[in-house]
Amino acid sequence: AAEFLSSYFDTGLGLPMESYDLWEERRGVFTFTAAAVLAGLRSAARFAELFSEKENAARFLEKANQIKKGIGAHLYCPVLGRFIRGLVQDSQGNYSRDNVLESSILGLFLFGVLPADDPRLAETVEKIEAGLWVKTPVGGLARYAGDYYFRSSSDPAKVPGNPWIICTLWLAQYYTARATSLAGLVPAKALLHWAAAYALPTGVLPEQLHPESGEPLSVAPLAWSHAAFVLAVLDYVEKYERLNREACPLPADSDQPAVPS
């Protein structure tokens, strides 16, 4: 797999060659995909190191580093002040920017390409939340501006797309990572409670919600939604325990764990 990721590569861009996006809707060179490939190559490098394949480890890591440079060079737009969704190629092989505001840009943080406090990422997340938060009592984060899938509103300013569980939980993970105090965890906790509030009585989480009624739309249950919830809760608990220990250190002879509220 790592050999393929290394070879399916645009040396001019320093990025993976075009493929379908994570939503299986369009082809291009996408920020989320580049971040995922970078993480995969870093993991492959660690596996190679474990098996004493030092040459392979160095090669995979170098390719990952090239992708990180390519992301900074081609997938960040200083004019917009944020990262973009990706690049699309025309029939002549020329690339143009796909500037659509897209929640999956959070993959830069989720896959460890950039730390949560990177200024470019922080500014991007501010714009994502401002532009993709559903401005109804239901709330939640849309996948991307103008999302047509199961579209339930004709007012894009109010409803850029239906709220998705996974996208909203990505935002929760970001705020968990950014928190430097227990008070800083409040936004993440609110988003976790939001997801739990829209689960069915059985605990089933859907793919997305109707922006006005909050009723489940499309697939329910969606394993992806459940996995995202588990990951977001684990991140929250781990960060809460660490911050709680720092704020209220236990006596040296105590092994009582902190319990998140």
Side-chain angles (χ1 to χ4, degrees):
E3 292 292 350
F4 169 75
L5 294 179
S6 297
S7 62
Y8 195 70
F9 192 79
D10 188 314
T11 55
L13 294 175
L15 293 168
M17 293 173 67
E18 67 169 4
S19 61
Y20 279 99
D21 67 356
L22 76 162
W23 312 122
E24 303 168 0
E25 291 180 343
R26 58 190 62 80
R27 283 184 67 82
V29 178
F30 299 105
T31 300
F32 181 92
T33 306
V37 170
L38 184 153
L41 286 168
R42 282 178 174 171
S43 294
R46 289 194 291 271
F47 272 117
E49 188 72 31
L50 181 66
F51 288 104
S52 299
E53 297 179 3
K54 297 187 182 300
E55 184 177 328
N56 283 336
R59 187 162 53 88
F60 296 149
L61 191 58
E62 172 59 25
K63 191 69 71 170
N65 291 336
Q66 288 178 35
I67 293 175
K68 185 170 183 177
K69 291 178 183 177
I71 288 172
H74 302 291
L75 297 176
Y76 178 77
C77 178
V79 176
L80 295 174
R82 63 172 174 85
F83 288 93
I84 61 173
R85 177 158 70 181
L87 307 171
V88 292
Q89 198 172 33
D90 62 21
S91 58
Q92 305 302 313
N94 301 311
Y95 285 105
S96 61
R97 292 181 182 270
D98 180 346
N99 292 328
V100 172
L101 194 61
E102 159 79 70
S103 65
S104 72
I105 295 169
L106 283 162
L108 291 172
F109 149 71
L110 295 167
F111 290 116
V113 179
L114 297 173
D117 60 357
D118 181 281
R120 296 167 299 168
L121 182 59
E123 190 174 6
T124 299
V125 175
E126 286 181 13
K127 289 178 168 61
I128 286 173
E129 189 165 16
L132 296 183
W133 190 261
V134 175
K135 300 166 184 67
T136 69
V138 174
L141 200 70
R143 290 195 300 175
Y144 54 82
D147 188 0
Y148 64 88
Y149 187 54
F150 280 82
R151 182 140 190 96
S152 306
S153 171
S154 57
D155 185 352
K158 182 179 177 182
V159 182
N162 297 331
W164 276 56
I165 300 292
I166 56 170
C167 304
T168 309
L169 290 170
W170 288 340
L171 192 59
Q173 288 181 275
Y174 174 78
Y175 281 120
T176 295
R178 282 297 304 267
T180 57
S181 66
L182 293 175
L185 282 172
V186 170
K189 181 180 178 181
L191 294 172
L192 292 175
H193 279 284
W194 175 90
Y198 285 106
L200 298 177
T202 56
V204 162
L205 289 169
E207 177 183 75
Q208 54 184 301
L209 305 170
H210 191 286
E212 300 289 349
S213 69
E215 292 296 314
L217 290 177
S218 187
V219 180
L222 183 72
W224 197 1
S225 295
H226 287 263
F229 187 79
V230 170
L231 289 171
V233 169
L234 289 174
D235 283 355
Y236 180 90
V237 170
E238 181 180 0
K239 191 63 172 285
Y240 180 96
E241 290 178 345
R242 181 168 69 78
L243 293 174
N244 194 57
R245 284 195 300 271
E246 293 171 358
C248 306
L250 294 169
D253 60 348
S254 174
D255 59 358
Q256 183 67 30
V259 179
S261 58

